[in-house]
Amino acid sequence: MTRINQNSYERLIDENEIRIDGRKLDELRPINIEVGILTNAYGSALLHHGKNKILAAVFGPRELHPRHLALPDRALVRCEYRMTTFSVEERKSPAPSRREIELSKVIRESLEPAIFTHLYPRTSVDVFIEVLQADGGTRCDGITAASTALADAGVPLRDLVVACAVGKVEGHILLDLDDIEDKKGEADMPIAILPRNKEVTLLQMDGQLSREEFQRALDLAIKGCEQIHEMQKEALRKKYSEIQEEVLEELNEFSEKEENQD
Ligand code: UDP
């Protein structure tokens, strides 16, 4: 959320309120979500969002190591957010940065309220988020991808968690800031919600908004989250309808074989 000298760029929003990448003020970048793409993880999701490419993998609930970390009444949720060395323009050091450690904590805290951890005492649920390519809003995409991967892993959830950022750029309230808007803008506000009851599990803000701007930004973020939530559900449905088709095909083949034998 680094701010950059406003004078070092041309304008990001034109007189018709169109952004530099052609989007309207309240428009999301194109999003595609795929689930179940890693065979070794319990659940996984790959999220393409504009230029962001984020991979999430979930392991668990499973036996916890080291055992002394075990919680007697619930599962321990652990989260690791990492940026690959090639994910940003300047090579990112492979050593975990303070930012990655902070974001791992922030993402874990935004996912945990959705998980029925009390059903799995003394176990761990491990969430890994790899940013393969970054262009602003990767903590939000990490949350969205991770919660989709949790659902794919069959971890019991109160709801999916879905996140997106809103902010203020050149006096306008914008949905889904990309890297340049994040850096040049006056404010950036990532938000995660449980969409069913609109419970907020993450709300951060860098910069300043008036009370009225904050309310408008919050409403816009919730609308953005609702759109992304539909895509999460669609990605999960797609995988399971494919599995259903495969199972039905196998059942048909099996019953045909049985009939032939009779
Ligand atoms: N970024 C970068 N190098 C870094 C960290 C971040 O170039 O070491 C870029 C990246 O595109 C990221 C953006 O800065 O998405 C905004 O980073 P921020 O810390 O605000 O987190 P994010 O918006 O990704 O959640």
Side-chain angles (χ1 to χ4, degrees):
M1 296 199 232
T2 327
R3 304 256 94 78
I4 284 180
N5 178 1
Q6 296 246 4
N7 301 324
S8 57
Y9 288 98
E10 57 194 66
R11 287 181 63 85
L12 294 179
I13 300 169
D14 73 14
E15 57 287 359
N16 300 317
E17 299 194 337
I18 299 297
R19 292 150 77 170
I20 208 157
D21 62 1
R23 280 187 290 156
K24 296 187 195 128
L25 303 182
D26 61 352
E27 196 175 334
L28 292 167
R29 290 172 281 179
I31 296 180
N32 183 54
I33 309 177
E34 278 174 81
V35 297
I37 50 156
L38 299 175
T39 48
N40 295 332
Y42 289 36
S44 56
L46 178 63
L47 174 63
H48 288 82
H49 180 193
K51 292 181 197 151
N52 285 344
K53 293 189 197 330
I54 318 275
L55 182 60
V58 167
F59 293 82
R62 63 178 176 180
E63 195 176 328
L64 173 62
H65 296 286
R67 288 192 179 194
H68 68 86
L69 293 178
L71 303 172
D73 58 339
R74 64 193 154 95
L76 177 72
V77 180
R78 294 185 288 196
C79 178
E80 206 177 288
Y81 161 101
R82 297 298 306 275
M83 285 184 118
T84 54
T85 49
F86 50 81
S87 60
V88 282
E89 253 173 61
E90 273 185 36
R91 178 181 175 276
K92 145 92 184 50
S93 156
S97 63
R98 285 174 59 128
R99 176 180 170 276
E100 285 168 309
I101 294 165
E102 183 207 323
L103 289 192
S104 300
K105 175 180 181 287
V106 162
I107 293 172
R108 175 176 56 73
E109 288 173 351
S110 70
L111 294 171
E112 217 169 346
I115 305 172
F116 285 106
T117 50
H118 67 280
L119 297 178
Y120 302 98
R122 312 196 68 78
T123 67
S124 71
V125 174
D126 294 302
V127 177
F128 299 94
I129 295 163
E130 288 289 329
V131 177
L132 306 175
Q133 190 167 282
D135 186 37
T138 60
R139 82 193 60 202
C140 292
D141 285 344
I143 292 166
T144 302
S147 88
T148 319
L150 281 165
D152 182 45
V155 175
L157 300 174
R158 289 185 177 83
D159 200 352
L160 288 163
V161 190
V162 54
C164 75
V166 274
K168 184 174 165 187
V169 177
E170 295 168 1
H172 298 277
I173 298 297
L174 297 190
L175 179 63
D176 188 17
L177 278 62
D178 64 16
D179 188 29
I180 186 84
E181 291 170 338
D182 175 321
K183 291 196 168 115
K184 186 183 172 187
E186 295 97 274
D188 169 33
M189 187 164 84
I191 291 171
I193 60 166
L194 305 183
R196 197 172 305 145
N197 59 5
K198 313 268 190 305
E199 192 180 323
V200 174
T201 64
L202 168 89
L203 198 157
Q204 295 183 295
M205 176 142 67
D206 184 31
Q208 286 189 344
L209 294 176
S210 69
R211 187 182 283 249
E212 182 271 327
E213 286 169 338
F214 172 81
Q215 192 53 53
R216 268 201 292 143
L218 184 62
D219 293 344
L220 191 56
I222 289 174
K223 277 194 193 136
C225 285
E226 282 170 345
Q227 289 175 46
I228 301 170
H229 181 225
E230 290 305 314
M231 297 179 219
Q232 283 178 305
K233 288 193 291 186
E234 191 47 44
L236 289 160
R237 255 188 236 120
K238 185 166 179 267
K239 176 180 166 186
Y240 288 98
S241 60
E242 280 167 12
I243 292 175
Q244 190 182 23
E245 273 170 30
E246 279 169 28
V247 171
L248 286 176
E249 249 170 54
E250 277 177 29
L251 278 175
N252 278 343
E253 275 173 31
F254 182 74
S255 46
E256 270 172 27
K257 266 187 206 159
E258 292 252 295
E259 273 171 25
N260 290 339
Q261 275 173 0
D262 289 344

